[in-house]
Amino acid sequence: MDRSSHSRSRRFAPVVAIAAAAALTLAGCSSSSGGKKSEESADGASAGKATTPRMTIALVTHQSQGDTFWDIVRKGATAAAAKDNVKLVYSADPSAAKQAGLIQNAIDQKVDGIAVTLAKPDALKDVIGKAKAAGIPVVGLNSGVSEWQKLGLMEFFGQDETVAGEALGKRLNEAGAKSAVCVVQEQGNIGLTQRCDGVDKTFDGKLQTLNVNGTDMPSVTSTITAKLSDKSIDYVVTLGAPFALAAVQSVSDAGSKAKIATFDLNKDLTGAISKGTIEFAVDQQPYLQGYLAIDSLWLYKNNGNYMGGGEQPVLTGPAFVDKTNVDKVAEFASKGTR
């Protein structure tokens, strides 16, 4: 039974996922981007291993080189693969056309399932259709919560970026912010656009959008610094942990009094929250996204299961991390899993 061909409503409600416990002591894995791919090793994972037949799953993302967010996604995916007796093949490219080519490669290799991010969904529509025609189940994660049903994906794991943005906008109001800038590191990425739009919807002050080249961190820092010559800006909102850390330097270089809030975490960012150089972060739990995407395909193949009933997304966020709870989260961030 393939529910991916059923028509679905665009309206959806949050679904809470309850996943089997997985070991967090994983072998480290380096980033792969620019069209490269790698087979993930299960060495070092100590969770119980399934006795079901070996299957191969391709995880294809829009990762840019150096973006540590995806290391966390991959650790979750690797843990699920180790538990489920899955050969995990990871590949990534920020170019939508090249990402589509990587999905085609997975189809040609006759993988048993594909997990894919939908940062630029229109460019992936045709190749996802080819995967479905080949009988390969496809699930989405991270980007594309508003588009996964249109493309006929079986399930989706991530946060509603608009809702996350709206929550951050309300938090800015509570902080007394009057003028903020939303820093976008990748133009055309639907999830990033939705984040800024969500902030703009609920923020009572003035919000500006600043596009930066997310693949060139010195340029990111200098561009934000130049923007902060506008001394009326009292908050910088970034859309990823590395860019928040760059903004800390920008604020210093500009002699600005602006505060910083961000989406997403890593171990360095939790340290910055503890120090007070960053006010708070919106956590979407990337480890959980990677874990559930792989585990869902194993469950579908071996037991015909659909998380969310095949109709609702499984939401992994948003949640706020600030000084009140950062110490607990930092324990896991230090392991590279938050």
Side-chain angles (χ1 to χ4, degrees):
M1 176 174 63
D2 183 2
R3 290 194 184 186
S4 64
S5 62
H6 289 189
S7 62
R8 299 180 174 99
S9 168
R10 293 184 63 183
R11 297 180 62 84
F12 51 83
V15 175
V16 178
I18 301 177
L24 302 185
T25 53
L26 300 175
C29 49
S30 60
S31 295
S32 173
S33 59
K36 297 179 181 179
K37 62 185 179 180
S38 62
E39 179 181 348
E40 300 297 314
S41 171
D43 294 343
S46 58
K49 192 170 184 177
T51 57
T52 49
R54 183 79 161 166
M55 58 186 291
T56 300
I57 295 176
L59 172 56
V60 186
T61 79
H62 62 280
Q63 175 186 358
S64 295
Q65 188 170 2
D67 189 343
T68 57
F69 176 90
W70 297 102
D71 294 338
I72 305 173
V73 172
R74 290 175 67 180
K75 283 194 174 184
T78 301
K83 177 181 71 71
D84 294 338
N85 192 25
V86 165
K87 174 184 175 182
L88 177 64
V89 180
Y90 180 85
S91 60
D93 201 292
S95 162
K98 291 180 180 179
Q99 188 187 9
L102 294 173
I103 296 170
Q104 183 61 59
N105 288 344
I107 296 170
D108 295 341
Q109 293 167 16
K110 296 180 172 56
V111 298
D112 298 294
I114 298 173
V116 62
T117 60
L118 304 173
K120 298 172 183 175
D122 289 344
L124 305 183
K125 180 178 179 180
D126 290 345
V127 73
I128 288 173
K130 292 178 181 179
K132 291 171 57 185
I136 301 172
V138 184
V139 301
L141 70 154
N142 180 258
S143 296
V145 70
S146 63
E147 304 294 323
W148 69 281
Q149 290 178 311
K150 295 178 185 177
L151 272 61
L153 272 63
M154 195 169 64
E155 298 160 298
F156 182 87
F157 307 94
Q159 73 180 358
D160 184 321
E161 302 292 8
T162 300
V163 170
E166 291 173 356
L168 192 147
K170 293 176 182 177
R171 186 78 176 244
L172 293 181
N173 293 335
E174 294 170 3
K178 302 299 181 184
S179 178
V181 59
C182 191
V183 182
V184 180
Q185 72 267 20
E186 182 185 346
Q187 294 186 56
N189 182 318
I190 188 172
L192 301 184
T193 300
Q194 289 169 341
R195 287 179 177 183
C196 287
D197 287 349
V199 174
D200 194 36
K201 184 176 180 180
T202 57
F203 179 44
D204 294 335
K206 177 184 177 182
L207 183 72
Q208 303 177 63
T209 299
L210 178 66
N211 291 306
V212 298
N213 180 2
T215 62
D216 184 348
M217 294 308 292
S219 173
V220 171
T221 302
S222 62
T223 303
I224 298 174
T225 300
K227 185 66 177 178
L228 290 175
S229 62
D230 179 355
K231 299 304 180 182
S232 69
I233 296 173
D234 54 16
Y235 252 92
V236 178
V237 177
T238 60
L239 306 182
F243 312 103
L245 296 167
V248 172
Q249 184 63 48
S250 297
V251 168
S252 176
D253 291 346
S256 171
K257 295 182 180 180
K259 296 180 179 180
I260 301 167
T262 190
F263 289 80
D264 301 334
L265 291 170
N266 62 26
K267 63 181 179 180
D268 293 328
L269 194 125
T270 57
I273 293 175
S274 295
K275 293 176 184 177
T277 54
I278 293 176
E279 298 298 306
F280 60 86
V282 178
D283 181 21
Q284 62 173 307
Q285 300 187 98
Y287 181 96
L288 191 59
Q289 292 174 9
Y291 187 98
L292 292 177
I294 303 308
D295 205 37
S296 70
L297 288 164
W298 177 81
L299 286 166
Y300 172 71
K301 182 175 181 66
N302 290 285
N303 205 46
N305 295 123
Y306 290 85
M307 294 188 190
E311 298 291 337
Q312 310 294 342
V314 177
L315 301 184
T316 62
F320 286 102
V321 177
D322 57 22
K323 277 194 171 182
T324 66
N325 61 358
V326 69
D327 289 344
K328 182 62 177 177
V329 174
E331 294 178 23
F332 303 108
S334 65
K335 302 174 185 177
T337 61
R338 287 294 294 271

